[in-house]
Amino acid sequence: GAVVSQHPSWVICKSGTSVKIECRSLDFQATTMFWYRQFPKQSLMLMATSNEGSKATYEQGVEKDKFLINHASLTLSTLTVTSAHPEDSSFYICSATDRGYEQFFGPGTRLTVL
Amino acid sequence: GQQLNQSPQSMFIQEGEDVSMNCTSSSIFNTWLWYKQDPGEGPVLLIALYKAGELTSNGRLTAQFGITRKDSFLNISASIPSDVGIYFCAGQRGEGAQKLVFGQGTRLTINP
């Protein structure tokens, strides 16, 4: 149980285009989902926290107009990278929790912007 | 953003050796967690610690929650090839819906 999926697992796009990444909790209802970004050989850095039905809370330095987060249902959150540029290339990971103690992580999405 | 101080950054050991890594923070956390991340995948929870002073084992892994609530360590005994990966500590101030703060990671390499 407690499986979190992400789609796509990898994506390559041209600079200036927008990319949407989905995070789904497959067997539980996720009241809260988190989005992280991980650059090569670095740690996970929290980008934003999203609660179902409300606006996401962004960490300092993360542009909310560039990284659009929607958490419209208890099993789905989406992250849209708008007008992506090469510096946005990274590994994006989501996690989900049902208010228990544990956050369950997705397998990640590798974004490459050309 | 805030990060925990995790050391060492990398370790190169022989198969069968024991491994120890630790994490410190300037502020208190109420939960400490240890994760393992394989290349191209998300982190997987190894051990969760909820009480100061708590010592918890999971197979060959043992972790402790420091009494000051500002540190934690992870030990791996009798390492095997599948232990290779990156280990992250994470601190959490509240329950599961609270955000995690991660350490920089310890990259473990094992020579067979």
Side-chain angles (χ1 to χ4, degrees), chain A residues 31-32 34 36 38 41-46 49 51 59-60 91 93 95 97 99-103 105-108 110, chain B residues 1-3 31 33 35 37 40-45 50 86 88 92 94-100 102-105 107:
Chain A
T31 52
T32 304
F34 301 86
Y36 296 84
Q38 186 178 31
K41 296 189 177 181
Q42 293 190 21
S43 186
L44 285 77
M45 295 300 293
L46 180 66
T49 302
N51 292 297
E59 294 298 299
Q60 191 173 9
F91 194 50
I93 307 172
S95 71
T97 181
R99 293 185 182 159
Y101 282 101
E102 186 171 350
Q103 290 182 25
F105 284 82
R110 183 160 304 283
Chain B
Q2 181 188 5
Q3 274 194 320
T31 301
L33 306 119
Y35 292 87
Q37 185 180 30
E41 298 184 15
V44 174
L45 181 65
Y50 303 111
I86 303 176
F88 290 99
Q92 193 174 41
E95 60 185 21
Q98 298 296 313
K99 61 184 181 182
L100 296 172
F102 280 86
Q104 300 99 325
R107 184 179 296 270

Side-chain angles (χ1 to χ4, degrees), chain A residues 12-18 83-88 112-114:
Chain A
I12 301 172
C13 69
K14 292 182 178 180
S15 185
T17 61
S18 294
S83 186
H85 291 285
E87 57 265 29
D88 298 323
T112 302
V113 184
L114 302 177

Side-chain angles (χ1 to χ4, degrees), chain A residues 70-81:
Chain A
N70 184 286
H71 191 167
S73 79
L74 285 171
T75 59
L76 173 64
S77 176
T78 60
L79 166 68
T80 301
V81 183

Side-chain angles (χ1 to χ4, degrees), chain B residues 7-72:
Chain B
S7 65
Q9 290 187 6
S10 60
M11 302 183 73
F12 297 85
I13 63 170
Q14 297 292 326
E15 183 178 350
E17 288 185 8
D18 297 342
V19 172
S20 184
M21 58 193 78
N22 68 80
C23 235
T24 60
S25 170
S26 58
S27 56
I28 288 173
F29 287 96
N30 292 314
T31 301
W32 283 86
L33 306 119
W34 286 91
Y35 292 87
K36 180 174 183 277
Q37 185 180 30
D38 291 326
E41 298 184 15
V44 174
L45 181 65
L46 299 174
I47 292 181
L49 302 156
Y50 303 111
K51 291 174 61 176
E54 179 182 1
L55 183 71
T56 297
S57 293
N58 179 8
R60 293 179 295 107
L61 278 61
T62 302
Q64 183 155 32
F65 189 151
I67 195 70
T68 64
R69 293 191 284 164
K70 292 183 179 181
D71 63 295
S72 177

